[in-house]
Amino acid sequence: MDAPTTTSSAGNDGGGNSGDWGWFTPSRKQPDDQPRSPESDGAADDRSADRPVNPIRPAGTEAERRPAPPAPAPAPPIPPASAVPPASPFAPASAVPPASAVPPASAVPPEAGREEHQRPDEAPTPQGARPAAESVFTAPETASPDAILLRRTMAEIEPVSDKVTSYFYALLFVQHPELRPLFPAAMDAQRDRLFKAILTAARLIDDPDILGDFLSRLGRGHRKYGTRPEHYPAVGECLLAALTRYATNTWSDEAEAAWVRAYTAISQIMIDAAAEDELRAPAWWQAEVVGHEPRTADIAVVTVRPDQPYPFLAGQYTSVETPWWPRVWRHYSFASAPRADGLLSFHVKAVPAGWVSSALVHRARPGDVIRLGPPAGSMTVDHSTDNGLLCLGGGTGIAPIKALVEDVAEHGRQRPVEVFYGARSDHDLYDIDTMLRLAQRHPWLSVRPVVSDGPTSGLSGRLPDAVRQYGPWNAFDAYLSGPPGMIRSGVDALMGVGVPSHRIRHDSIEELMAAAE
């Protein structure tokens, strides 16, 4: 539930669905006998009984719905600090502590490190949302009245966003402690994702197509956390209370009504997307580790076998949870195109304080079972064109590049593919032998290693600079994968040599947006 949701203080004249289903339930009720299956032919999934019990209940809908409960009353007035026992981490639901008395959302230290090729978070900024030269909160002349009010609120709370989101989560856990088990122990990254999701939704409120796609992906992705329709009113109530407390200059009855309308619509999109997804796919997959190949002291190739078919496209990524860090998910790209044997491979680099990456590299062994979320990402090959592929892979970002090469090979079309494989040293080119073997096998493939530090038998310098030495690239579609800094400089370099932005694909939009703001 790292995405913003609606508040239950909206009246029945709000923008939600009417009738017995209420706001926070799917728009269309499914028949009681409707089978749920990940298979395209709609056959019933008779394997569900064999799946182990999930300690976090999968999200989605039930065959027989319960009517939505009445909308709870708005959050009670904030009492003085003396009204809340400071020693109690969870006050009664009726007590809303002041900001100074709210306990931290987590006492666990933040994850100091970051996976080198950790994919975007579950709330990636949509492809259609681009950073503007002016303030991201400046409303265009065509903005709706609600969009103007939302942006004003966001502009006011941005300087204190850490306080707002910390207060929101602490308030949520005080008033609804039963929701705490759905969240990871360390909440620092969770707070960041929430604020970015709120900011993005507020900016896109007048772009229903882009916003709908963004929120639908969030709704589907949140099934693996155990998010259910009945959770949304609680989250929205606490979010509204946090905004009320900190947006003191811009908050008004009109602003509150705008946020209620916006988040009623936002929640409904997410809930409907999750309900639809439940009919065709599980919330998560069990996957047994069947291969663990160390490549360097801190990089390993991890191969797993899902417990049921896992559909994905070359170039996509998934979220991974290990048994050693429950509810902590990290994102890794598939290192191959879909295989006939159904196995999946990931290239993982352990970083200091990288909980999931370190566990996968140093602790995981064949026989261990991890969990996978649904596939995501748009860095896939367009097979309707004969354009060449220009691929830039930095560090473990070579994993999805390798998958794209295999995908082109399997389609049997002679399209030129130029791969620039960057690393700091020759030693860090851990997969260069695999890539060179692919180049020997396919005459349309060229692989150029690029090393930024130290002697090398390949090209020296930064990856974007090396790309500028070759070309022209006007007949190529570009694909970039690697650390955010490499992607930022790579995009600049490609646009500088004439590659249009709509032909540059990558899955690090969120990091790029954050760096530009």
Side-chain angles (χ1 to χ4, degrees):
M1 285 196 305
D2 50 19
T5 54
T6 70
T7 173
S8 57
S9 63
N12 287 333
D13 58 344
N17 293 336
S18 60
D20 295 338
W21 287 88
W23 297 336
F24 304 104
T25 49
S27 297
R28 294 171 301 278
K29 183 177 181 181
Q30 298 297 334
D32 290 352
D33 59 351
Q34 173 68 44
R36 296 185 300 170
S37 171
E39 304 298 334
S40 58
D41 61 3
D45 185 1
D46 57 3
R47 290 168 295 190
S48 59
D50 297 329
R51 293 173 60 78
V53 175
N54 182 5
I56 303 176
R57 209 170 35 186
T61 60
E62 298 173 351
E64 185 172 349
R65 298 281 180 191
R66 294 174 297 176
I78 297 177
S82 59
V84 180
S88 175
F90 291 106
S94 60
V96 183
S100 59
V102 172
S106 172
V108 180
E111 185 171 357
R114 179 175 179 84
E115 328 294 346
E116 175 190 309
H117 185 52
Q118 182 180 321
R119 306 298 297 186
D121 291 326
E122 287 303 300
T125 301
Q127 289 280 359
R130 299 295 181 186
E134 69 277 6
S135 168
V136 294
F137 302 113
T138 301
E141 294 181 358
T142 57
S144 66
D146 277 5
I148 294 174
L149 291 168
L150 297 180
R151 287 175 182 247
R152 286 176 180 170
T153 304
M154 296 301 298
E156 181 177 2
I157 68 172
E158 183 192 27
V160 291
S161 60
D162 287 345
K163 293 182 179 180
V164 178
T165 50
S166 294
Y167 183 76
F168 159 76
Y169 272 116
L171 192 63
L172 180 67
F173 299 153
V174 165
Q175 292 193 329
H176 303 279
E178 72 279 4
L179 298 184
R180 185 61 180 93
L182 299 180
F183 294 85
M187 293 294 298
D188 297 78
Q190 185 80 10
R191 288 196 294 267
D192 291 342
R193 286 198 295 270
L194 171 71
F195 183 69
K196 289 176 182 177
I198 298 173
L199 181 148
T200 299
R203 284 203 310 254
L204 298 177
I205 200 65
D206 283 346
D207 295 310
D209 292 339
I210 297 176
L211 181 62
D213 178 69
F214 171 56
L215 294 173
S216 294
R217 286 186 284 118
L218 279 181
R220 292 189 295 268
H222 278 56
R223 291 182 58 213
K224 68 178 180 291
Y225 295 117
T227 309
R228 298 186 57 80
E230 56 265 29
H231 297 155
Y232 284 84
V235 174
E237 174 187 330
C238 296
L239 177 62
L240 190 70
L243 295 175
T244 303
R245 180 173 184 83
Y246 285 94
T248 55
N249 295 325
T250 58
W251 200 252
S252 63
D253 290 343
E254 292 77 11
E256 179 176 4
W259 279 97
V260 168
R261 285 190 292 269
Y263 283 99
T264 298
I266 286 170
S267 291
Q268 195 63 64
I269 293 172
M270 294 179 65
I271 291 168
D272 287 348
E276 181 181 354
D277 190 60
E278 185 186 20
L279 300 177
R280 61 172 179 262
W284 44 266
W285 286 254
Q286 296 269 25
E288 179 185 359
V289 176
V290 296
H292 188 278
E293 178 189 356
R295 292 291 184 86
T296 70
D298 56 1
I299 295 177
V301 176
V302 181
T303 302
V304 301
R305 178 186 292 113
D307 62 345
Q308 55 184 301
Y310 188 101
F312 73 99
L313 299 175
Q316 289 189 307
Y317 60 91
T318 188
S319 49
V320 175
E321 180 201 49
T322 70
W324 304 286
W325 295 105
R327 302 184 302 281
V328 177
W329 296 79
R330 293 294 180 263
H331 300 82
Y332 298 100
S333 296
F334 300 105
S336 68
R339 297 167 47 169
D341 58 12
L343 298 182
L344 310 172
S345 293
F346 307 97
H347 294 184
V348 183
K349 179 175 182 178
V351 298
W355 297 350
V356 175
S357 67
S358 295
L360 290 173
V361 172
H362 300 305
R363 191 167 182 173
R365 293 294 181 268
D368 290 332
V369 176
I370 64 176
R371 294 205 295 183
L372 307 176
S378 58
M379 199 181 75
T380 56
V381 177
D382 180 2
H383 292 291
S384 66
T385 176
D386 289 324
N387 289 347
L389 275 64
L390 171 60
C391 301
L392 283 65
T396 51
I398 197 63
I401 300 301
K402 173 176 172 285
L404 294 177
V405 170
E406 293 179 355
D407 191 33
V408 172
E410 289 177 5
H411 278 75
R413 300 174 65 179
Q414 300 294 311
R415 301 173 62 178
V417 179
E418 302 281 341
V419 174
F420 289 81
Y421 180 10
R424 291 185 177 180
S425 67
D426 274 347
H427 174 74
D428 294 325
L429 295 169
Y430 68 93
D431 210 35
I432 187 62
D433 291 341
T434 301
M435 298 304 299
L436 292 177
R437 284 195 296 269
L438 286 172
Q440 292 175 353
R441 192 179 313 154
H442 306 294
W444 40 262
L445 172 62
S446 174
V447 177
R448 297 183 177 91
V450 182
V451 172
S452 60
D453 304 327
T456 178
S457 57
L459 302 175
S460 297
R462 298 168 61 249
L463 195 58
D465 295 334
V467 174
R468 292 189 186 98
Q469 300 175 18
Y470 294 84
W473 305 116
N474 55 299
F476 285 74
D477 294 332
Y479 296 80
L480 298 89
S481 180
M486 185 223 84
I487 294 180
R488 285 193 297 269
S489 59
V491 169
D492 291 342
L494 292 172
M495 295 182 67
V497 296
V499 180
S501 60
H502 69 274
R503 284 171 47 192
I504 301 176
R505 302 189 181 190
H506 52 83
D507 281 317
S508 291
I509 297 294
E510 182 184 21
E511 288 89 345
L512 296 178
M513 292 284 290
E517 293 164 356

